[in-house]
Amino acid sequence: MTKTTYSADRAHRLLRLLALYRAVAGVALAAVAQSANAPAVAMAAAVAYTGVSALNFALIARLRAHLPTLLLILLAVDLAFMVLVLAAATGAATANAAYLLPILAAHGYLLGSRTAFAHAAFATLVLLMSEALIRPPFAPTLLVAALLGAGFFVMAAIGRLLGRNLSAAEALVQERSDALRRLAHVNELVINELDSAVIVLNAAGQITLANPQARRWLMGDDAVLLNGFPIEEISAVLAAEWKRFRSDPGAWDGQPLMLETNRLGVLPRMTSVSLEGSSDTLIILEDATAIEAQAQQIKLAALGRLSAAIAHEIRNPLSAIKQSAQLLGENPTVGDDVRALTRMIDKNTDRIERIIRDVSLLGRRDRSAPKAVALAERLPELLREIAGMIGAPPDHIQFESTARPVALVDWGHLEEMVTNLVANAWRHSTRSPGCVRVWISLLEQTRRCAIGVSDDGPGVPEEHRDKLFEPFFSGSGSTGLGLYIVRELARAGGGRVRLLSPERGATFVLELPLAEESVHAQG
C-alpha cells in the first residue's frame, strides 16, 4: 500500500482544484479541436471529458478515501482523452498535452512517493506510443512528446518535494499547537487551584482574567466575574492601589489591603504585562493572615531546633546540680535550713527537666511512625499509669467507651498527648472522685475517632481561649508547652485537638485518623 504524506483536508481541497482544472482544460481542448477542424468524435470526447471532470468534482468527498487508486484512474481518463483527440484530429498539436504537467505535479504533492514517478512514466509512455503510432515515423512532434515526458518527471519531483516540506511544516505546526494547548490547560489548572487570587486588568481597568479564589474574595462564593467588568465597581481599595501602581510602578510599595467584601487582609503584588501592544496588569493577592502564620511557623520551627540543642546542653549540668543537691541534703551534718534549700533546688531542677523534656518533644514531632492502636484496650492501662504519675487516686479518673475504634497513630505521641491532656485536666479539677473523665467515640462522617478529656474545674476564661495552644502560654504556672505539644503532635499524625465549652469545666477533644480495619468495619 502506498504511503501518503498529506492531510485529509489539504488533499480534499487539492482534489477539488484538480477537478475544476480538468473541466476548464476539457473546454479549452474542445475549442482547440474545433479550431483544428477536428471531426465530431473529438468534440464529443471533449464534452465527455468535461462531464467526467464535473462528476469527479461532485464525488470527491466519497472517493478521497482511496486516493492513490482514484488518482491513477483519473490519469488514465486524462490520457485516454488525449490519445482520442490526437487520433481523431490529426492537426491537433502534441504540445497541448502540456496541460497534464500541473496534474502530475499534484500527484507528486499528494502521494509523496515513488508512485508519483510511476504515474509520470505511465503518462510519458502513453504519449510516446501515441506519437509513434499516429504520427509519421520520426515526426518532429515525437521530440516534443519526449520533452513533455521529461517535464512530467520534473513536475512530479517538484510536487513530491513540496508535499514533503509542507507535511513536515504542518506536523511541526500541529505539534507546537498541541504543546501550547497542553501548556494553556496546565496553566489554567494551576491558576484555578492557587490559594492566592489572580486577576488581570487591561489598561482601562477592566477584568480580563480572574481565578476562582479572586471571585470568592472579591464578590463572594457564588459570584462570577465577567470579562470587561470594571475593577472600580468591585473593590475601590484595590482599584486605587492599581492606579497608584500604574502611575509610578517603581515607587509602589505594595502595602497590605483590607478587602471590602469579607474584611480580608491581603498582600497585593502587581506586575505589568505587555503582549501584542496591550498594557495589562497582573495582580496577585495573598492572604496576609496565612503569610503571617507561615512566618510564625518558620520562626517556631527554628526556635524548636535551637531550644532542642540548648536543652541537650543543659541536661548534663542540670543532672550534676540535682545530684549534688541530693548528696548535700543527705549529709547528716547540715541543718534544716540547708535541707530546705536542697529541696527547693530539687523541685526546680525537676521543673527545668520537664521543660527540657517538652522542648525535646517539639524536635521529634515530625518523626512519627503511626500504627494501628485499639484505643478501648490500650487506654485504660495508660490512664492507670498517668494516675500514678500525677498522684491521682484511681477512682478520680473515669474512662468510658461508646465504640471500639482502631486509630492510626504513633503510640509514643499518643502517650504524650493523653498524658498532657489528663494532667492538665487534673490540675484544674476539684480533685474529687470522677473529676476527670476520659471517653472515646467514633466520628463516622469524618472517618475519625475522638478521645475526649473533661474536667469539673472552672473552665477556660474567654480571654484565654485564643491563646490556649500558643507556646509558653500558661494560666496556671505550668511550662506552657503541654497543649502546644498536643496540637503539634496531633497535626504531625494527621489529627487535630479542639476545645469544647461545656456548662462546667473544660473538654478537650483529640481527633485521630482511623486505621483501615476501622474504616472497613464502618463501611
Side-chain angles (χ1 to χ4, degrees), residues 334-350:
V334 300
D336 293 338
D337 54 345
V338 174
R339 289 190 177 91
L341 291 175
T342 58
R343 285 194 298 269
M344 185 180 298
I345 293 173
D346 188 62
K347 181 179 178 181
N348 283 278
T349 52
D350 287 340

Side-chain angles (χ1 to χ4, degrees), residues 436-459:
V436 176
R437 188 171 64 92
V438 180
W439 44 269
I440 302 174
S441 65
L442 190 62
L443 308 176
E444 296 183 359
Q445 293 183 349
T446 59
R447 292 196 169 187
R448 288 186 173 189
C449 58
I451 302 175
V453 180
S454 304
D455 64 71
D456 60 353

Side-chain angles (χ1 to χ4, degrees), residues 450-472:
I451 302 175
V453 180
S454 304
D455 64 71
D456 60 353
V460 180
E462 188 65 30
E463 63 271 16
H464 292 171
R465 296 179 67 87
D466 294 337
K467 303 177 182 178
L468 200 59
F469 293 99
E470 292 183 3
F472 305 108

Side-chain angles (χ1 to χ4, degrees), residues 382-394 397:
L382 175 61
L383 292 177
R384 285 192 294 269
E385 295 177 1
I386 296 173
M389 185 189 313
I390 63 178
I397 300 178

